Amino acid sequence: MTFAALADPTRRAILARLASGEASVLELAAPFSMSQPAISKHLKVLEGAGLISRRRDAQRRPCRLEAKPLSEATAWLENYRRFWEGQFQRLDALLDEMKAIQPGVATQGEEDK
């Protein structure tokens, strides 16, 4: 649900705004050219994913960022970053080995020099 919520640029912008502190629905809607009900739908998606929480403060319902799901997503992505980093290191080693066997074979970065 976290990644589905983050897939939309409007929701990412809302989260970026909430990173600087709580905001009301009207404050969150201000930079967008969409209706308040459309913003409310985005907020429901973010709330359903656990990325924001809302509380009642008299007539206001301020929203705030909830960092735990983002932390969990970051940890999950970190595993894949390490995997791909290892793959690229193996590819670099293979290219270095091929270059040693066949001098004059340039790699992509060296062609540009």
Side-chain angles (χ1 to χ4, degrees):
M1 289 179 58
T2 298
F3 290 111
L6 293 173
D8 185 275
T10 300
R11 292 193 286 267
R12 291 192 304 269
I14 290 170
L15 291 177
R17 164 53 185 89
L18 291 174
S20 64
E22 287 186 345
S24 70
V25 174
L26 287 176
E27 292 168 331
L28 293 170
F32 304 103
S33 59
M34 61 178 69
S35 68
Q36 189 173 340
I39 290 293
S40 292
K41 285 182 181 181
H42 284 295
L43 294 175
K44 284 180 184 176
V45 171
L46 291 169
E47 193 171 20
L51 292 166
I52 67 167
S53 61
R54 295 194 249 189
R55 62 182 178 82
R56 190 167 294 280
D57 180 16
Q59 295 299 319
R60 290 180 76 228
R61 291 213 48 203
C63 301
R64 69 179 283 186
L65 180 66
E66 296 296 335
K68 187 175 183 218
L70 292 174
S71 175
E72 291 169 351
T74 299
W76 185 81
L77 287 169
E78 179 62 22
N79 289 327
Y80 288 95
R81 186 195 63 77
R82 283 194 300 266
F83 167 78
W84 284 110
E85 193 173 87
Q87 295 292 90
F88 289 132
Q89 286 173 352
R90 283 190 282 288
L91 180 59
D92 284 343
L94 177 63
L95 291 173
D96 288 342
E97 189 178 309
M98 289 174 64
K99 222 166 53 175
I101 294 171
Q102 292 182 326
V105 174
T107 60
Q108 178 83 21
E110 292 174 342
E111 291 174 355
D112 298 335
K113 292 180 184 178

PDB file of all heavy atoms in Angstrom, residues 31-65:
ATOM      1  N   PRO A  31      -1.727  24.472  -3.220  1.00  0.00           N
ATOM      2  CA  PRO A  31      -0.863  24.513  -4.412  1.00  0.00           C
ATOM      3  C   PRO A  31      -1.388  23.741  -5.623  1.00  0.00           C
ATOM      4  O   PRO A  31      -0.796  23.811  -6.692  1.00  0.00           O
ATOM      5  CB  PRO A  31       0.451  23.887  -3.931  1.00  0.00           C
ATOM      6  CG  PRO A  31       0.205  23.299  -2.609  1.00  0.00           C
ATOM      7  CD  PRO A  31      -1.136  23.724  -2.140  1.00  0.00           C
ATOM      8  N   PHE A  32      -2.488  23.031  -5.470  1.00  0.00           N
ATOM      9  CA  PHE A  32      -2.985  22.179  -6.549  1.00  0.00           C
ATOM     10  C   PHE A  32      -4.221  22.770  -7.207  1.00  0.00           C
ATOM     11  O   PHE A  32      -5.037  23.393  -6.544  1.00  0.00           O
ATOM     12  CB  PHE A  32      -3.313  20.778  -6.024  1.00  0.00           C
ATOM     13  CG  PHE A  32      -2.165  20.115  -5.353  1.00  0.00           C
ATOM     14  CD1 PHE A  32      -2.092  20.040  -3.972  1.00  0.00           C
ATOM     15  CD2 PHE A  32      -1.125  19.576  -6.097  1.00  0.00           C
ATOM     16  CE1 PHE A  32      -1.019  19.438  -3.348  1.00  0.00           C
ATOM     17  CE2 PHE A  32      -0.042  18.972  -5.480  1.00  0.00           C
ATOM     18  CZ  PHE A  32       0.006  18.904  -4.096  1.00  0.00           C
ATOM     19  N   SER A  33      -4.352  22.548  -8.489  1.00  0.00           N
ATOM     20  CA  SER A  33      -5.547  23.008  -9.200  1.00  0.00           C
ATOM     21  C   SER A  33      -6.539  21.853  -9.296  1.00  0.00           C
ATOM     22  O   SER A  33      -6.851  21.356 -10.373  1.00  0.00           O
ATOM     23  CB  SER A  33      -5.177  23.535 -10.587  1.00  0.00           C
ATOM     24  OG  SER A  33      -4.549  22.513 -11.329  1.00  0.00           O
ATOM     25  N   MET A  34      -6.994  21.415  -8.133  1.00  0.00           N
ATOM     26  CA  MET A  34      -8.002  20.360  -8.081  1.00  0.00           C
ATOM     27  C   MET A  34      -8.947  20.667  -6.932  1.00  0.00           C
ATOM     28  O   MET A  34      -8.628  21.461  -6.047  1.00  0.00           O
ATOM     29  CB  MET A  34      -7.364  18.970  -7.963  1.00  0.00           C
ATOM     30  CG  MET A  34      -6.535  18.720  -6.747  1.00  0.00           C
ATOM     31  SD  MET A  34      -5.867  17.039  -6.640  1.00  0.00           S
ATOM     32  CE  MET A  34      -4.680  17.010  -7.952  1.00  0.00           C
ATOM     33  N   SER A  35     -10.066  20.031  -6.945  1.00  0.00           N
ATOM     34  CA  SER A  35     -11.094  20.287  -5.940  1.00  0.00           C
ATOM     35  C   SER A  35     -10.669  19.746  -4.574  1.00  0.00           C
ATOM     36  O   SER A  35      -9.810  18.868  -4.471  1.00  0.00           O
ATOM     37  CB  SER A  35     -12.408  19.644  -6.363  1.00  0.00           C
ATOM     38  OG  SER A  35     -12.280  18.234  -6.331  1.00  0.00           O
ATOM     39  N   GLN A  36     -11.309  20.265  -3.547  1.00  0.00           N
ATOM     40  CA  GLN A  36     -11.043  19.770  -2.206  1.00  0.00           C
ATOM     41  C   GLN A  36     -11.434  18.292  -2.067  1.00  0.00           C
ATOM     42  O   GLN A  36     -10.702  17.526  -1.435  1.00  0.00           O
ATOM     43  CB  GLN A  36     -11.750  20.629  -1.165  1.00  0.00           C
ATOM     44  CG  GLN A  36     -11.314  20.282   0.247  1.00  0.00           C
ATOM     45  CD  GLN A  36     -11.873  21.232   1.278  1.00  0.00           C
ATOM     46  OE1 GLN A  36     -12.276  22.337   0.962  1.00  0.00           O
ATOM     47  NE2 GLN A  36     -11.898  20.781   2.516  1.00  0.00           N
ATOM     48  N   PRO A  37     -12.550  17.839  -2.681  1.00  0.00           N
ATOM     49  CA  PRO A  37     -12.857  16.404  -2.614  1.00  0.00           C
ATOM     50  C   PRO A  37     -11.766  15.539  -3.265  1.00  0.00           C
ATOM     51  O   PRO A  37     -11.474  14.442  -2.785  1.00  0.00           O
ATOM     52  CB  PRO A  37     -14.179  16.283  -3.361  1.00  0.00           C
ATOM     53  CG  PRO A  37     -14.828  17.613  -3.202  1.00  0.00           C
ATOM     54  CD  PRO A  37     -13.690  18.598  -3.224  1.00  0.00           C
ATOM     55  N   ALA A  38     -11.150  16.033  -4.335  1.00  0.00           N
ATOM     56  CA  ALA A  38     -10.072  15.268  -4.969  1.00  0.00           C
ATOM     57  C   ALA A  38      -8.868  15.173  -4.026  1.00  0.00           C
ATOM     58  O   ALA A  38      -8.258  14.104  -3.896  1.00  0.00           O
ATOM     59  CB  ALA A  38      -9.661  15.916  -6.286  1.00  0.00           C
ATOM     60  N   ILE A  39      -8.545  16.270  -3.365  1.00  0.00           N
ATOM     61  CA  ILE A  39      -7.450  16.248  -2.382  1.00  0.00           C
ATOM     62  C   ILE A  39      -7.808  15.294  -1.245  1.00  0.00           C
ATOM     63  O   ILE A  39      -6.967  14.519  -0.784  1.00  0.00           O
ATOM     64  CB  ILE A  39      -7.164  17.671  -1.841  1.00  0.00           C
ATOM     65  CG1 ILE A  39      -6.532  18.538  -2.928  1.00  0.00           C
ATOM     66  CG2 ILE A  39      -6.280  17.631  -0.598  1.00  0.00           C
ATOM     67  CD1 ILE A  39      -5.130  18.116  -3.348  1.00  0.00           C
ATOM     68  N   SER A  40      -9.060  15.330  -0.806  1.00  0.00           N
ATOM     69  CA  SER A  40      -9.500  14.434   0.274  1.00  0.00           C
ATOM     70  C   SER A  40      -9.342  12.967  -0.112  1.00  0.00           C
ATOM     71  O   SER A  40      -8.973  12.139   0.723  1.00  0.00           O
ATOM     72  CB  SER A  40     -10.955  14.723   0.655  1.00  0.00           C
ATOM     73  OG  SER A  40     -11.048  15.982   1.268  1.00  0.00           O
ATOM     74  N   LYS A  41      -9.583  12.642  -1.382  1.00  0.00           N
ATOM     75  CA  LYS A  41      -9.381  11.257  -1.844  1.00  0.00           C
ATOM     76  C   LYS A  41      -7.902  10.878  -1.747  1.00  0.00           C
ATOM     77  O   LYS A  41      -7.566   9.768  -1.319  1.00  0.00           O
ATOM     78  CB  LYS A  41      -9.876  11.088  -3.276  1.00  0.00           C
ATOM     79  CG  LYS A  41     -11.376  11.039  -3.387  1.00  0.00           C
ATOM     80  CD  LYS A  41     -11.818  10.823  -4.825  1.00  0.00           C
ATOM     81  CE  LYS A  41     -13.323  10.809  -4.936  1.00  0.00           C
ATOM     82  NZ  LYS A  41     -13.771  10.582  -6.310  1.00  0.00           N
ATOM     83  N   HIS A  42      -7.022  11.798  -2.137  1.00  0.00           N
ATOM     84  CA  HIS A  42      -5.592  11.531  -2.007  1.00  0.00           C
ATOM     85  C   HIS A  42      -5.212  11.328  -0.533  1.00  0.00           C
ATOM     86  O   HIS A  42      -4.426  10.434  -0.210  1.00  0.00           O
ATOM     87  CB  HIS A  42      -4.767  12.689  -2.591  1.00  0.00           C
ATOM     88  CG  HIS A  42      -4.724  12.708  -4.081  1.00  0.00           C
ATOM     89  ND1 HIS A  42      -4.129  11.718  -4.833  1.00  0.00           N
ATOM     90  CD2 HIS A  42      -5.209  13.613  -4.973  1.00  0.00           C
ATOM     91  CE1 HIS A  42      -4.238  12.001  -6.116  1.00  0.00           C
ATOM     92  NE2 HIS A  42      -4.895  13.151  -6.232  1.00  0.00           N
ATOM     93  N   LEU A  43      -5.789  12.147   0.333  1.00  0.00           N
ATOM     94  CA  LEU A  43      -5.493  12.021   1.762  1.00  0.00           C
ATOM     95  C   LEU A  43      -5.991  10.683   2.314  1.00  0.00           C
ATOM     96  O   LEU A  43      -5.317  10.068   3.155  1.00  0.00           O
ATOM     97  CB  LEU A  43      -6.100  13.186   2.540  1.00  0.00           C
ATOM     98  CG  LEU A  43      -5.497  14.555   2.236  1.00  0.00           C
ATOM     99  CD1 LEU A  43      -6.254  15.655   2.976  1.00  0.00           C
ATOM    100  CD2 LEU A  43      -4.016  14.601   2.575  1.00  0.00           C
ATOM    101  N   LYS A  44      -7.129  10.213   1.831  1.00  0.00           N
ATOM    102  CA  LYS A  44      -7.644   8.912   2.279  1.00  0.00           C
ATOM    103  C   LYS A  44      -6.697   7.781   1.862  1.00  0.00           C
ATOM    104  O   LYS A  44      -6.475   6.838   2.619  1.00  0.00           O
ATOM    105  CB  LYS A  44      -9.044   8.661   1.721  1.00  0.00           C
ATOM    106  CG  LYS A  44     -10.100   9.453   2.442  1.00  0.00           C
ATOM    107  CD  LYS A  44     -11.469   9.191   1.880  1.00  0.00           C
ATOM    108  CE  LYS A  44     -12.485  10.083   2.579  1.00  0.00           C
ATOM    109  NZ  LYS A  44     -13.817   9.963   2.027  1.00  0.00           N
ATOM    110  N   VAL A  45      -6.132   7.874   0.657  1.00  0.00           N
ATOM    111  CA  VAL A  45      -5.170   6.868   0.205  1.00  0.00           C
ATOM    112  C   VAL A  45      -3.933   6.896   1.106  1.00  0.00           C
ATOM    113  O   VAL A  45      -3.449   5.853   1.552  1.00  0.00           O
ATOM    114  CB  VAL A  45      -4.780   7.086  -1.278  1.00  0.00           C
ATOM    115  CG1 VAL A  45      -3.622   6.185  -1.680  1.00  0.00           C
ATOM    116  CG2 VAL A  45      -5.980   6.849  -2.186  1.00  0.00           C
ATOM    117  N   LEU A  46      -3.425   8.096   1.375  1.00  0.00           N
ATOM    118  CA  LEU A  46      -2.238   8.235   2.236  1.00  0.00           C
ATOM    119  C   LEU A  46      -2.530   7.735   3.645  1.00  0.00           C
ATOM    120  O   LEU A  46      -1.697   7.067   4.259  1.00  0.00           O
ATOM    121  CB  LEU A  46      -1.767   9.693   2.268  1.00  0.00           C
ATOM    122  CG  LEU A  46      -1.179  10.231   0.969  1.00  0.00           C
ATOM    123  CD1 LEU A  46      -1.005  11.739   1.032  1.00  0.00           C
ATOM    124  CD2 LEU A  46       0.142   9.541   0.659  1.00  0.00           C
ATOM    125  N   GLU A  47      -3.713   8.050   4.142  1.00  0.00           N
ATOM    126  CA  GLU A  47      -4.095   7.604   5.480  1.00  0.00           C
ATOM    127  C   GLU A  47      -4.258   6.082   5.514  1.00  0.00           C
ATOM    128  O   GLU A  47      -3.809   5.416   6.447  1.00  0.00           O
ATOM    129  CB  GLU A  47      -5.389   8.293   5.899  1.00  0.00           C
ATOM    130  CG  GLU A  47      -5.709   8.162   7.369  1.00  0.00           C
ATOM    131  CD  GLU A  47      -6.887   9.027   7.795  1.00  0.00           C
ATOM    132  OE1 GLU A  47      -7.693   9.443   6.935  1.00  0.00           O
ATOM    133  OE2 GLU A  47      -6.992   9.267   9.002  1.00  0.00           O
ATOM    134  N   GLY A  48      -4.861   5.524   4.474  1.00  0.00           N
ATOM    135  CA  GLY A  48      -5.028   4.068   4.390  1.00  0.00           C
ATOM    136  C   GLY A  48      -3.697   3.335   4.359  1.00  0.00           C
ATOM    137  O   GLY A  48      -3.577   2.218   4.862  1.00  0.00           O
ATOM    138  N   ALA A  49      -2.689   3.965   3.775  1.00  0.00           N
ATOM    139  CA  ALA A  49      -1.354   3.370   3.720  1.00  0.00           C
ATOM    140  C   ALA A  49      -0.569   3.634   5.006  1.00  0.00           C
ATOM    141  O   ALA A  49       0.563   3.163   5.136  1.00  0.00           O
ATOM    142  CB  ALA A  49      -0.589   3.927   2.520  1.00  0.00           C
ATOM    143  N   GLY A  50      -1.154   4.384   5.915  1.00  0.00           N
ATOM    144  CA  GLY A  50      -0.477   4.676   7.175  1.00  0.00           C
ATOM    145  C   GLY A  50       0.587   5.760   7.058  1.00  0.00           C
ATOM    146  O   GLY A  50       1.380   5.949   7.973  1.00  0.00           O
ATOM    147  N   LEU A  51       0.594   6.482   5.941  1.00  0.00           N
ATOM    148  CA  LEU A  51       1.618   7.504   5.720  1.00  0.00           C
ATOM    149  C   LEU A  51       1.278   8.844   6.362  1.00  0.00           C
ATOM    150  O   LEU A  51       2.158   9.672   6.581  1.00  0.00           O
ATOM    151  CB  LEU A  51       1.844   7.708   4.220  1.00  0.00           C
ATOM    152  CG  LEU A  51       2.479   6.509   3.522  1.00  0.00           C
ATOM    153  CD1 LEU A  51       2.365   6.646   2.016  1.00  0.00           C
ATOM    154  CD2 LEU A  51       3.929   6.365   3.944  1.00  0.00           C
ATOM    155  N   ILE A  52      -0.009   9.051   6.649  1.00  0.00           N
ATOM    156  CA  ILE A  52      -0.413  10.262   7.368  1.00  0.00           C
ATOM    157  C   ILE A  52      -1.428   9.885   8.428  1.00  0.00           C
ATOM    158  O   ILE A  52      -2.043   8.808   8.371  1.00  0.00           O
ATOM    159  CB  ILE A  52      -1.030  11.339   6.442  1.00  0.00           C
ATOM    160  CG1 ILE A  52      -2.358  10.888   5.859  1.00  0.00           C
ATOM    161  CG2 ILE A  52      -0.043  11.764   5.359  1.00  0.00           C
ATOM    162  CD1 ILE A  52      -3.166  12.013   5.209  1.00  0.00           C
ATOM    163  N   SER A  53      -1.599  10.768   9.386  1.00  0.00           N
ATOM    164  CA  SER A  53      -2.674  10.623  10.369  1.00  0.00           C
ATOM    165  C   SER A  53      -3.396  11.958  10.449  1.00  0.00           C
ATOM    166  O   SER A  53      -2.826  12.999  10.119  1.00  0.00           O
ATOM    167  CB  SER A  53      -2.125  10.199  11.729  1.00  0.00           C
ATOM    168  OG  SER A  53      -1.238  11.182  12.226  1.00  0.00           O
ATOM    169  N   ARG A  54      -4.640  11.894  10.858  1.00  0.00           N
ATOM    170  CA  ARG A  54      -5.434  13.115  11.025  1.00  0.00           C
ATOM    171  C   ARG A  54      -6.015  13.115  12.424  1.00  0.00           C
ATOM    172  O   ARG A  54      -6.398  12.081  12.944  1.00  0.00           O
ATOM    173  CB  ARG A  54      -6.571  13.186  10.004  1.00  0.00           C
ATOM    174  CG  ARG A  54      -6.091  13.306   8.589  1.00  0.00           C
ATOM    175  CD  ARG A  54      -7.212  13.707   7.696  1.00  0.00           C
ATOM    176  NE  ARG A  54      -7.597  12.621   6.796  1.00  0.00           N
ATOM    177  CZ  ARG A  54      -8.439  12.772   5.794  1.00  0.00           C
ATOM    178  NH1 ARG A  54      -9.020  13.909   5.581  1.00  0.00           N
ATOM    179  NH2 ARG A  54      -8.718  11.758   5.012  1.00  0.00           N
ATOM    180  N   ARG A  55      -6.084  14.304  13.000  1.00  0.00           N
ATOM    181  CA  ARG A  55      -6.708  14.441  14.313  1.00  0.00           C
ATOM    182  C   ARG A  55      -7.698  15.595  14.253  1.00  0.00           C
ATOM    183  O   ARG A  55      -7.628  16.432  13.369  1.00  0.00           O
ATOM    184  CB  ARG A  55      -5.653  14.661  15.397  1.00  0.00           C
ATOM    185  CG  ARG A  55      -4.838  15.918  15.243  1.00  0.00           C
ATOM    186  CD  ARG A  55      -3.776  16.028  16.343  1.00  0.00           C
ATOM    187  NE  ARG A  55      -2.973  17.206  16.140  1.00  0.00           N
ATOM    188  CZ  ARG A  55      -3.323  18.434  16.516  1.00  0.00           C
ATOM    189  NH1 ARG A  55      -4.456  18.640  17.133  1.00  0.00           N
ATOM    190  NH2 ARG A  55      -2.531  19.463  16.276  1.00  0.00           N
ATOM    191  N   ARG A  56      -8.588  15.608  15.177  1.00  0.00           N
ATOM    192  CA  ARG A  56      -9.593  16.678  15.218  1.00  0.00           C
ATOM    193  C   ARG A  56      -9.095  17.747  16.184  1.00  0.00           C
ATOM    194  O   ARG A  56      -8.706  17.472  17.297  1.00  0.00           O
ATOM    195  CB  ARG A  56     -10.935  16.133  15.666  1.00  0.00           C
ATOM    196  CG  ARG A  56     -12.049  17.126  15.493  1.00  0.00           C
ATOM    197  CD  ARG A  56     -13.418  16.494  15.645  1.00  0.00           C
ATOM    198  NE  ARG A  56     -13.764  15.528  14.616  1.00  0.00           N
ATOM    199  CZ  ARG A  56     -14.201  15.820  13.403  1.00  0.00           C
ATOM    200  NH1 ARG A  56     -14.313  17.061  13.033  1.00  0.00           N
ATOM    201  NH2 ARG A  56     -14.528  14.867  12.554  1.00  0.00           N
ATOM    202  N   ASP A  57      -9.109  18.990  15.705  1.00  0.00           N
ATOM    203  CA  ASP A  57      -8.705  20.145  16.509  1.00  0.00           C
ATOM    204  C   ASP A  57      -9.768  21.214  16.290  1.00  0.00           C
ATOM    205  O   ASP A  57      -9.659  22.025  15.362  1.00  0.00           O
ATOM    206  CB  ASP A  57      -7.318  20.629  16.057  1.00  0.00           C
ATOM    207  CG  ASP A  57      -6.818  21.820  16.841  1.00  0.00           C
ATOM    208  OD1 ASP A  57      -7.364  22.102  17.920  1.00  0.00           O
ATOM    209  OD2 ASP A  57      -5.873  22.479  16.361  1.00  0.00           O
ATOM    210  N   ALA A  58     -10.828  21.175  17.104  1.00  0.00           N
ATOM    211  CA  ALA A  58     -11.999  22.040  16.928  1.00  0.00           C
ATOM    212  C   ALA A  58     -12.582  21.785  15.529  1.00  0.00           C
ATOM    213  O   ALA A  58     -12.982  20.672  15.231  1.00  0.00           O
ATOM    214  CB  ALA A  58     -11.651  23.498  17.152  1.00  0.00           C
ATOM    215  N   GLN A  59     -12.587  22.785  14.657  1.00  0.00           N
ATOM    216  CA  GLN A  59     -13.127  22.622  13.306  1.00  0.00           C
ATOM    217  C   GLN A  59     -12.080  22.089  12.325  1.00  0.00           C
ATOM    218  O   GLN A  59     -12.410  21.680  11.227  1.00  0.00           O
ATOM    219  CB  GLN A  59     -13.664  23.971  12.792  1.00  0.00           C
ATOM    220  CG  GLN A  59     -14.844  24.488  13.593  1.00  0.00           C
ATOM    221  CD  GLN A  59     -16.031  23.538  13.551  1.00  0.00           C
ATOM    222  OE1 GLN A  59     -16.347  22.979  12.512  1.00  0.00           O
ATOM    223  NE2 GLN A  59     -16.680  23.334  14.693  1.00  0.00           N
ATOM    224  N   ARG A  60     -10.822  22.155  12.702  1.00  0.00           N
ATOM    225  CA  ARG A  60      -9.740  21.702  11.804  1.00  0.00           C
ATOM    226  C   ARG A  60      -9.510  20.211  11.975  1.00  0.00           C
ATOM    227  O   ARG A  60      -9.755  19.660  13.026  1.00  0.00           O
ATOM    228  CB  ARG A  60      -8.425  22.435  12.138  1.00  0.00           C
ATOM    229  CG  ARG A  60      -8.420  23.876  11.779  1.00  0.00           C
ATOM    230  CD  ARG A  60      -7.089  24.524  12.141  1.00  0.00           C
ATOM    231  NE  ARG A  60      -6.063  24.145  11.185  1.00  0.00           N
ATOM    232  CZ  ARG A  60      -4.852  23.712  11.510  1.00  0.00           C
ATOM    233  NH1 ARG A  60      -4.486  23.613  12.765  1.00  0.00           N
ATOM    234  NH2 ARG A  60      -3.981  23.395  10.576  1.00  0.00           N
ATOM    235  N   ARG A  61      -9.004  19.607  10.915  1.00  0.00           N
ATOM    236  CA  ARG A  61      -8.547  18.218  10.983  1.00  0.00           C
ATOM    237  C   ARG A  61      -7.143  18.193  10.416  1.00  0.00           C
ATOM    238  O   ARG A  61      -6.925  17.784   9.277  1.00  0.00           O
ATOM    239  CB  ARG A  61      -9.465  17.299  10.179  1.00  0.00           C
ATOM    240  CG  ARG A  61     -10.819  17.184  10.847  1.00  0.00           C
ATOM    241  CD  ARG A  61     -11.490  15.882  10.707  1.00  0.00           C
ATOM    242  NE  ARG A  61     -10.672  14.743  10.985  1.00  0.00           N
ATOM    243  CZ  ARG A  61     -10.908  13.536  10.521  1.00  0.00           C
ATOM    244  NH1 ARG A  61     -11.929  13.326   9.743  1.00  0.00           N
ATOM    245  NH2 ARG A  61     -10.136  12.541  10.822  1.00  0.00           N
ATOM    246  N   PRO A  62      -6.154  18.655  11.191  1.00  0.00           N
ATOM    247  CA  PRO A  62      -4.786  18.713  10.663  1.00  0.00           C
ATOM    248  C   PRO A  62      -4.231  17.320  10.365  1.00  0.00           C
ATOM    249  O   PRO A  62      -4.531  16.345  11.048  1.00  0.00           O
ATOM    250  CB  PRO A  62      -3.988  19.405  11.765  1.00  0.00           C
ATOM    251  CG  PRO A  62      -4.828  19.333  12.987  1.00  0.00           C
ATOM    252  CD  PRO A  62      -6.246  19.100  12.565  1.00  0.00           C
ATOM    253  N   CYS A  63      -3.428  17.276   9.314  1.00  0.00           N
ATOM    254  CA  CYS A  63      -2.774  16.036   8.897  1.00  0.00           C
ATOM    255  C   CYS A  63      -1.316  16.110   9.310  1.00  0.00           C
ATOM    256  O   CYS A  63      -0.712  17.178   9.315  1.00  0.00           O
ATOM    257  CB  CYS A  63      -2.846  15.888   7.379  1.00  0.00           C
ATOM    258  SG  CYS A  63      -4.524  15.858   6.728  1.00  0.00           S
ATOM    259  N   ARG A  64      -0.767  14.952   9.609  1.00  0.00           N
ATOM    260  CA  ARG A  64       0.665  14.903   9.913  1.00  0.00           C
ATOM    261  C   ARG A  64       1.284  13.669   9.286  1.00  0.00           C
ATOM    262  O   ARG A  64       0.615  12.653   9.072  1.00  0.00           O
ATOM    263  CB  ARG A  64       0.930  14.954  11.415  1.00  0.00           C
ATOM    264  CG  ARG A  64       0.493  13.715  12.154  1.00  0.00           C
ATOM    265  CD  ARG A  64       0.795  13.792  13.612  1.00  0.00           C
ATOM    266  NE  ARG A  64       2.208  13.543  13.800  1.00  0.00           N
ATOM    267  CZ  ARG A  64       2.795  13.420  14.967  1.00  0.00           C
ATOM    268  NH1 ARG A  64       2.095  13.558  16.059  1.00  0.00           N
ATOM    269  NH2 ARG A  64       4.058  13.145  15.058  1.00  0.00           N
ATOM    270  N   LEU A  65       2.545  13.790   8.973  1.00  0.00           N
ATOM    271  CA  LEU A  65       3.303  12.711   8.349  1.00  0.00           C
ATOM    272  C   LEU A  65       3.574  11.616   9.370  1.00  0.00           C
ATOM    273  O   LEU A  65       3.927  11.900  10.514  1.00  0.00           O
ATOM    274  CB  LEU A  65       4.625  13.266   7.812  1.00  0.00           C
ATOM    275  CG  LEU A  65       5.572  12.291   7.129  1.00  0.00           C
ATOM    276  CD1 LEU A  65       4.957  11.779   5.844  1.00  0.00           C
ATOM    277  CD2 LEU A  65       6.885  12.988   6.825  1.00  0.00           C
TER     278      LEU A  65
END
